[in-house]
Amino acid sequence: MAGPSKSLILDPALQKYYEVNANRYKYFRWTPRHAWFSFLYMAVIPASLGYIAYKTDGKYHFRGKRREDTISEW
């Protein structure tokens, strides 16, 4: 039958990791490093991707192009 049996031996290191991961909010502390990474992932990266998308909007058309055609429209 499928499923764990009574002879299943669990790895204690994995069990500890699962416990810490489930209770991560209890152990989290704001540090300058965490603040920098949060700012980077929530502001800098989306803003730069949005800027690039805005600047190249409508510039490239991949549909219906042949090998020698250029993908840049302007």
Side-chain angles (χ1 to χ4, degrees):
M1 289 283 180
S5 63
K6 292 184 180 183
S7 65
L8 180 66
I9 299 171
L10 300 174
D11 187 7
L14 281 176
Q15 290 302 112
K16 183 178 179 183
Y17 172 75
Y18 295 148
E19 280 296 316
V20 170
N21 198 20
N23 298 316
R24 186 176 300 271
Y25 68 95
K26 295 178 186 176
Y27 303 107
F28 181 78
R29 183 179 292 171
W30 279 105
T31 61
R33 183 172 187 249
H34 287 144
W36 170 247
F37 278 129
S38 296
F39 176 72
L40 184 72
Y41 289 132
M42 290 188 291
V44 174
I45 292 174
S48 62
L49 289 175
Y51 176 77
I52 292 169
Y54 178 75
K55 283 298 188 182
T56 60
D57 185 33
K59 185 175 183 181
Y60 302 109
H61 297 286
F62 297 104
R63 189 171 175 187
K65 296 290 181 180
R66 296 201 173 124
R67 183 175 299 194
E68 61 275 353
D69 292 343
T70 179
I71 61 170
S72 180
E73 292 293 325
W74 42 273

